[in-house]
Amino acid sequence: MSLAVPSAHESPVPHTYQQTYRWSRDNYSPWLRALDVWGAVFQFLIFLQIDGWDWSYPGGKTAGALQKRRRERAAWLREALLRLGPTFIKVGQLLSTRADVLPAESVEELAKLQDRVPAFRWEQARHILETDLGKPLAELFQRFEPVPLAAASLGQVYKAELLTGEEVAVKVQRPGLLKLFAIDLGILRQIAEYFQKHPKYGPAGTGWASTKNVGGFCTKKPTI
């Protein structure tokens, strides 16, 4: 019987893939990771500084100009979190539920991270599955759809049919996730400690970090 399981070299449908992001590379080093994350943090701080200057608003610092700037910054934040990968996408997803902390424009943009996460390629998913299961997919499934039903921050889901004819959903964890999390947690602790000590954003009561915790939420609403 001919099995409808695609070959390892098939890439059947164009998709937005994570390979366009540097964090998905196999040789992505912790030093480069730290550079990418801290680069985004300092760009965020530069934006906060610029947004405090009245002259940075063409036509004046009106209510309309402020709203437009907030939308621009919110879009930047969403893209920045996407570029930084799964850990920060998850942070963005959590922040999208905090309308009590963030402006409405940021909540609206970050909510897009709930269902607009780039997928990783079929070749990678197939390799992970066959390595974990110990057999070629053709020996385990009658049919395996190579296009994911959904892609999330931690993995993606595929539709498949077992040899018994039962239809199943198969979830595949993103490659390199544990290594990336280990690096990111250390960086997040450094970021939290930096803001805790910052003369403007870290006064008493903001609760950015502790020695046993990565960090918390700022009690003030930021511009972004």
Side-chain angles (χ1 to χ4, degrees), residues 185-208:
L185 287 177
I187 297 173
L188 282 170
R189 180 183 295 277
Q190 295 171 356
I191 292 171
E193 291 173 349
Y194 171 82
F195 278 102
Q196 183 68 31
K197 298 174 183 177
H198 196 284
K200 184 175 180 181
Y201 303 110
T206 52
W208 281 101

Side-chain angles (χ1 to χ4, degrees), residues 1-141:
M1 180 171 64
S2 177
L3 299 178
V5 177
S7 72
H9 302 292
E10 284 187 54
S11 184
V13 178
H15 208 291
T16 301
Y17 290 111
Q18 69 175 34
Q19 275 79 357
T20 57
Y21 299 100
R22 191 151 61 179
W23 54 264
S24 65
R25 297 176 183 174
D26 293 334
N27 60 349
Y28 190 40
S29 73
W31 290 105
L32 188 56
R33 180 61 173 171
L35 183 63
D36 285 344
V37 174
W38 278 103
V41 170
F42 286 121
Q43 189 172 354
F44 172 82
L45 289 174
I46 290 170
F47 283 155
L48 289 180
Q49 183 68 39
I50 292 173
D51 292 346
W53 295 332
D54 291 352
W55 56 263
S56 69
Y57 298 85
K61 196 174 181 179
T62 63
L66 286 169
Q67 185 180 48
K68 182 175 182 292
R69 180 67 59 85
R70 286 195 300 268
R71 289 194 179 282
E72 292 171 351
R73 299 304 189 221
W76 172 86
L77 179 59
R78 175 178 53 80
E79 286 299 324
L81 294 176
L82 268 177
R83 287 195 298 271
L84 291 177
T87 306
F88 293 89
I89 292 171
K90 180 57 68 177
V91 169
Q93 290 173 342
L94 294 173
L95 286 173
S96 72
T97 66
R98 295 301 305 269
D100 60 318
V101 174
L102 295 179
E105 294 83 0
S106 293
V107 171
E108 182 182 340
E109 280 292 330
L110 293 178
K112 297 176 183 177
L113 294 174
Q114 300 288 354
D115 58 2
R116 301 186 191 180
V117 180
F120 53 92
R121 293 185 180 277
W122 163 245
E123 301 94 295
Q124 290 177 292
R126 183 185 183 109
H127 176 74
I128 293 169
L129 285 166
E130 293 186 338
T131 300
D132 289 350
L133 298 175
K135 291 184 179 180
L137 294 187
E139 295 182 15
L140 300 168
F141 299 93

